[in-house]
Amino acid sequence: MVGSPKAPEFGAEAARSWARESVAALERDRAALDRINVYPVADGDTGTNLLHTMSSALAAVEGAPDVLGDVLGALAAGAVSGARGNSGMLLSQVLRGVAEQLRAATSMDGAALRAALHQASALAAEAIAEPVDGTMLSVLRAAAEGTGDAGDELGEVVRAATAAAIEALARTPGQLPALAAAGVVDAGGRGLVVLLDALHAVVHDGARLAPDPPAADVTVPTEQGGYAYEVMYLLAGAEPDGVDRLRTALAELGDCVSVVGDGAGAWAVHVHCDDIGGAIEAGIETGRPSRIRVQRFADQAVAHPVGQAVLACVAGDALAELFRAEGAEVLPLGDADPQVSDLVAAIERTRAAHVVLLPNEEGLGERAELAAKRAVRDGRDVVVVPTASPVQGLAALAVHDPARRSADDAVVMAEAAAATRRGELRIAESEALTWAGRCAPGDVLGLVDGEVVLVGRDFPSVARDLVDRMLTAGGELVTVLVGDRAPAAAADRIVEHLARHRPEVECACYPAGALPAALLLGVE
């Protein structure tokens, strides 16, 4: 007798998939969640806060061992480290609850998920100084309680939890007058539904239960009452009894107080108040505050990052103008390469929620990735498209579409950059042995993907040979960036050569000023 097929195991890779699905879903629904954010303050950032918190969690699992407990622990720690707003704080406790229940596990079944949801509900309620019904807390509690009769099969427990959360979300307008007046459900509760629905999709082969968020605009108060500032910081070195005293002290200063931990000694603190110094001093009395962030609600609509931007690292004014003309924002490169902090500052200056970073140099790739991770922790969604040359950056910009979903747009840009072969011509400054033979000072070196493949004395001849060599594998467009050290007619000779011998290939030439090479080539 053949038994029923065994359900797929929910291990480390499934947990990573859940995190990726959650980030993708929150990115898709971010604007809708921001739009329905009317409680406790109508500051329009719940979706953005949830996305940034979950993105920070996802970034933290990159170096985690391929073991379920380690992946979940990294997700929880990353979420606490990058938590934004009350909703982000609560989201971090959902992940912490799951991580604590499965710390030593290699796979998750329905019984473990049920226990994890109850643990998450308890942790979230404990973290909030004044819990309120009709919020993310209510939806989380309902999700945990809804699994009671679902058995121990993971798929059934996930289905029951998600369905119960959807039903609880629909009840939130009847629990909070602010929601009823605006005709919306709770934004944080909706975010939790997104998270559970992503888990449902992972467990049930892509199937989802939650309906799409409403597309209609929501009328919210234009003037905010209550406190003037939102204060957030991380806290280390705090004892549990000290954390309890901190919650009490912050509740005396303001509202929307939450103090959440990752279970390993790190805490994130959040409060709405007027006394910024008092909120920070309370943290100093409890432990060691760091990454202090203060936001004035009156400024939030202006300061909050929105939209998309492409940030390109470029050398020289001519190349900077070329990239600006293609719609990119520019970080000029001087004599010294920018440090990680310089890249982070440039990302912040874009004031965009979603940033595609084009390093445009081989040596900047690693620093660009570090800057992107730091910017994600500080509240932005940043993707590095690996461009080792400005010609690859221009190829990526050519397919950039601001109307496209940002994650999809980054993928398309990365594909365009990867499909662009890069070449360059340099003038040898000293004698050396290359892959193409020995060169002497003044020789013209032709490089493809950073390796010397041609050595000659006549610049136009080497340029023509290099273009022909790069087109051997095919190509429809040649981009030529002409530096100050190239002979005056170098670009014209390439155009004439292609018109005579490869008329089907389009050629675009641009002056590029002070390049490190005499001439850069891109073949697409």
Side-chain angles (χ1 to χ4, degrees):
M1 179 177 179
V2 179
S4 59
K6 183 180 179 180
E9 183 181 82
F10 191 97
E13 185 52 39
R16 295 178 194 272
S17 295
W18 177 33
R20 290 191 292 265
E21 286 287 336
S22 296
V23 169
L26 287 169
E27 185 176 65
R28 184 184 63 243
D29 289 0
R30 178 189 61 80
L33 292 171
D34 284 346
R35 191 169 54 245
I36 65 173
N37 171 205
V38 300
Y39 181 88
V41 178
D43 49 356
D45 65 357
T46 291
T48 300
N49 286 340
L50 287 170
L51 175 59
H52 291 158
T53 302
M54 196 66 211
S55 295
S56 179
L58 178 59
V61 305
E62 289 186 4
D66 199 24
V67 177
L68 177 62
D70 291 322
V71 170
L72 294 174
L75 284 173
V80 170
S81 174
R84 293 289 179 269
N86 254 355
S87 56
M89 299 282 179
L90 293 177
L91 170 57
S92 75
Q93 296 308 280
V94 174
L95 296 176
R96 178 186 168 188
V98 176
E100 289 187 351
Q101 285 298 315
L102 293 154
R103 183 175 289 125
T106 57
S107 64
M108 180 172 70
D109 61 12
L113 177 60
R114 179 185 299 108
L117 290 173
H118 280 285
Q119 175 74 349
S121 181
L123 289 170
E126 179 185 345
I128 301 298
E130 297 177 354
V132 176
D133 284 337
T135 63
M136 192 174 179
L137 285 174
S138 304
V139 178
L140 177 56
R141 183 172 62 248
E145 294 173 349
T147 63
D149 298 326
D152 291 340
E153 198 275 318
L154 179 60
E156 293 305 312
V157 174
V158 172
R159 189 186 305 278
T162 307
I166 292 170
E167 293 174 4
L169 179 65
R171 294 193 294 268
T172 58
Q175 296 170 299
L176 276 175
L179 302 179
V184 298
V185 296
D186 179 66
R190 168 71 200 186
L192 178 64
V193 167
V194 170
L195 195 73
L196 290 171
D197 202 41
L199 179 60
H200 189 279
V202 171
V203 173
H204 289 280
D205 198 25
R208 297 185 179 275
L209 292 182
D212 290 335
D217 287 334
V218 176
T219 301
V220 299
T222 56
E223 295 185 4
Q224 303 293 340
Y227 296 99
Y229 299 97
E230 179 181 48
V231 180
M232 292 176 283
Y233 51 85
L234 296 182
L235 193 67
E239 298 296 331
D241 57 344
V243 170
D244 292 338
R245 289 194 299 271
L246 176 60
R247 285 196 188 95
T248 301
L250 294 176
E252 292 173 355
L253 292 173
D255 62 13
C256 295
V257 174
S258 55
V259 183
V260 302
D262 64 357
W267 301 86
V269 180
H270 174 275
V271 61
H272 294 175
C273 64
D274 291 326
D275 186 357
I276 300 169
I280 296 171
E281 287 172 5
I284 294 172
E285 293 172 0
T286 307
R288 299 186 301 277
S290 64
R291 286 171 53 188
I292 299 169
R293 296 170 59 90
V294 177
Q295 176 68 56
R296 191 166 76 104
F297 288 119
D299 298 336
Q300 196 152 352
V302 175
H304 199 67
V306 294
Q308 302 178 37
V310 177
L311 175 62
C313 302
V314 296
D317 294 339
L319 206 52
E321 287 305 312
L322 178 58
F323 272 82
R324 288 192 185 102
E326 294 297 320
E329 299 192 33
V330 166
L331 172 60
L333 300 179
D335 294 334
D337 286 340
Q339 299 303 305
V340 173
S341 58
D342 300 321
L343 292 165
V344 172
I347 290 168
E348 291 179 350
R349 285 196 297 271
T350 67
R351 305 191 66 79
H354 304 278
V355 179
V356 172
L357 178 56
L358 306 176
N360 291 335
E361 282 193 11
E362 268 188 307
L364 285 183
E366 185 175 350
R367 267 172 280 179
E369 291 289 353
L370 290 172
K373 289 180 181 179
R374 188 178 298 178
V376 166
R377 291 198 303 267
D378 290 341
R380 280 175 170 79
D381 175 32
V382 183
V383 176
V384 178
V385 170
T387 53
S389 167
V391 293
Q392 292 180 323
L394 289 171
L397 266 177
V399 297
H400 168 54
D401 182 358
R404 189 186 289 130
R405 184 169 168 264
S406 57
D408 295 337
D409 191 49
V411 170
V412 173
M413 293 177 72
E415 290 174 345
T420 302
R421 297 187 296 284
R422 58 187 176 90
E424 56 188 280
L425 277 88
R426 292 177 176 265
I427 307 300
E429 297 179 354
S430 61
E431 185 175 353
L433 182 62
T434 76
W435 287 107
R438 187 171 295 279
C439 70
D443 279 349
V444 182
L445 309 180
L447 294 82
V448 175
D449 294 333
E451 296 289 347
V452 177
V453 296
L454 294 170
V455 177
R457 296 298 296 180
D458 181 62
F459 194 100
S461 297
V462 176
R464 290 193 298 268
D465 291 346
L466 185 64
V467 170
D468 287 340
R469 188 183 187 108
M470 294 179 68
L471 285 169
T472 300
E476 300 174 349
L477 171 65
V478 174
T479 300
V480 184
L481 300 182
V482 185
D484 291 340
R485 286 182 284 180
D492 293 339
R493 298 291 180 269
I494 292 174
V495 172
E496 292 168 1
H497 175 72
L498 289 173
R500 183 177 300 112
H501 299 283
R502 294 182 180 266
E504 75 282 3
V505 176
E506 182 182 354
C507 184
C509 299
Y510 305 97
L515 292 176
L519 185 146
L520 297 178
L521 294 169
V523 174
E524 303 173 53

